[in-house]
Amino acid sequence: MRINGWDISEANARQARFVNGHHALSNSSAWNTGSNRPIFQRNQLGFKTFTIELWVKGNGYQEIVENRGIILEHLLDTVIIEPDWTTHKFKAVLNKYSTDEKSKQRFHVLKLEFVGYEYSETQEYSIDVSTTFTIQNIGTAETPVILELVPQGGAVGIPYGQMQAAILCDDDGAYIVDNDMAAIVTYDYDVLTIDGLCYDPRTGESLTIEVRNTTPGGKITIDGETGLITENGKVKIEDVDIWALPMLQPGENVIQTNSNWLSVTVRYEPRYM
C-alpha cells in the first residue's frame, strides 16, 4: 500500500485487510400533510467510506509503536491512497483509527477508516468537426471533467443562424464567401453552446453552457473540479454562462454543440460508487 506514493513497507508494515464501501446517500424527499402524493428528490452523494488494516512490525514493542506513529504522520492531511489488490486510487482523509496489540513484541494491527472517493486513471476523449458525439464514462458514479474547446478558423459548420453568406466548395475545401466572392477564412463565433455535460443537482435536468466572444484557435478550458474557466490561460468567467460544473453521468453521455467546426477534448478520472 502507498500513501501519496510512500510505501508503508518503509515503516515495516503491510496491508492485511481492505474493505471497500460505497458512497453515503442523503435524500430530502417529503410527503407534506394534505398532499395526495409525495415530492421526490434525487439522492445526493456523500463520502465513500473504506477501511484498511495494517500489520505493523518492529524490533520490540517500542519500535512497533514508533512505526505506527510514522504511518499516522503520513495521514494528517488529504492523501492519495493506493491499496494493494486494486488498481484504483482513493483521495481521502483519515476519519478515525484504532490499534490492537495482537502480539506486543512481534506485531500490532493498525486499523484505519477513511472517507473520500475512489477513481481510476485519467481517460481522454477528443473530437474535431462534429455537433453531436458520445462519451462512455467507464465509472459507476458522476464524474467531473475538464472540458477544452477550441473554435477553428474557417467557415465549415458555422451555425446556420449565424451565416450571412453562401458556402463555396472547391477542390481545396469549403469556404464562406461574401457577395464579391472573397473568401472569409476566420470567423468569430457569437455564442457557442454545449449540452450534455451540466445538470441541475436537484432535478437532474440538463443545463446549457454558453460561451461568448470566442476567437478561432483560442483554447477555452472549463475545469469541473476547480471551477476555473480560462481562455489561453486567462480568466474568462465573464464570457461564460454556466449553472453547474461539467461532469459525466455513468455510462453513455451524448454531447451536443451548435458548431461542427470545433475541437473538443474531455478529460476525466472515472469515479466509482
Side-chain angles (χ1 to χ4, degrees):
M1 175 182 133
R2 293 180 178 272
I3 305 170
N4 287 338
W6 176 74
D7 196 317
I8 62 170
S9 64
E10 295 186 29
N12 206 355
R14 70 180 180 89
Q15 178 180 306
R17 190 164 182 256
F18 169 54
V19 180
N20 194 359
H22 296 289
H23 281 274
L25 298 175
S26 61
N27 195 286
S28 56
S29 297
W31 199 325
N32 296 325
T33 302
S35 175
N36 291 326
R37 61 181 181 180
I39 300 172
F40 290 110
Q41 302 286 345
R42 297 179 77 242
N43 280 309
Q44 302 299 311
L45 291 185
F47 283 116
K48 172 189 279 282
T49 301
F50 61 99
T51 59
I52 297 176
E53 289 185 6
L54 307 179
W55 287 354
V56 186
K57 297 183 178 181
N59 186 20
Y61 181 81
Q62 187 57 44
E63 186 173 303
I64 298 174
V65 172
E66 290 175 0
N67 285 337
R68 284 169 18 196
I70 291 171
I71 295 168
L72 292 173
E73 191 276 331
H74 279 80
L75 296 170
L76 296 179
D77 206 343
T78 306
V79 292
I80 303 298
I81 300 293
E82 299 176 69
D84 298 337
W85 316 334
T86 176
T87 59
H88 291 183
K89 299 180 182 180
F90 297 78
K91 188 166 188 177
V93 63
L94 180 64
N95 189 37
K96 61 183 179 181
Y97 71 91
S98 62
T99 59
D100 186 351
E101 298 178 356
K102 291 289 186 181
S103 173
K104 286 187 178 292
Q105 299 295 324
R106 295 179 56 222
F107 74 94
H108 298 172
V109 176
L110 180 60
K111 185 176 182 179
L112 309 170
E113 182 179 298
F114 297 90
V115 291
Y117 64 84
E118 176 183 357
Y119 66 99
S120 58
E121 294 297 327
T122 300
Q123 304 292 309
E124 181 175 310
Y125 180 93
S126 296
I127 190 169
D128 291 324
V129 195
S130 179
T131 54
T132 302
F133 55 94
T134 301
I135 299 178
Q136 185 74 23
N137 178 6
I138 63 174
T140 58
E142 296 176 349
T143 302
V145 304
I146 297 175
L147 173 64
E148 293 180 352
L149 308 169
V150 182
Q152 300 298 302
V156 177
I158 292 174
Y160 289 113
Q162 299 178 27
M163 289 177 58
Q164 301 299 320
I167 288 184
L168 173 68
C169 294
D170 58 24
D171 292 339
D172 295 325
Y175 304 88
I176 192 167
V177 296
D178 59 22
N179 293 331
D180 297 325
M181 299 302 289
I184 302 171
V185 296
T186 62
Y187 184 85
D188 291 334
Y189 295 91
D190 293 331
V191 179
L192 180 63
T193 65
I194 306 97
D195 289 285
L197 285 172
C198 290
Y199 300 88
D200 187 315
R202 298 169 301 171
T203 66
E205 178 187 6
S206 181
L207 303 172
T208 299
I209 303 172
E210 294 187 357
V211 184
R212 298 178 299 278
N213 300 322
T214 64
T215 303
K219 181 189 291 186
I220 301 156
T221 303
I222 303 176
D223 192 320
E225 293 214 27
T226 67
L228 185 63
I229 300 174
T230 60
E231 183 177 39
N232 293 332
K234 296 182 179 180
V235 175
K236 193 181 175 61
I237 185 63
E238 69 276 4
D239 289 327
V240 178
D241 288 339
I242 186 170
W243 306 101
L245 293 176
M247 47 81 69
L248 292 174
Q249 302 277 9
E252 188 175 276
N253 293 257
V254 178
I255 318 301
Q256 293 181 312
T257 76
N258 67 338
S259 171
N260 64 355
W261 195 237
L262 177 72
S263 294
V264 179
T265 299
V266 174
R267 295 186 184 88
Y268 70 101
E269 294 175 338
R271 293 189 183 181
Y272 299 86
M273 279 295 296

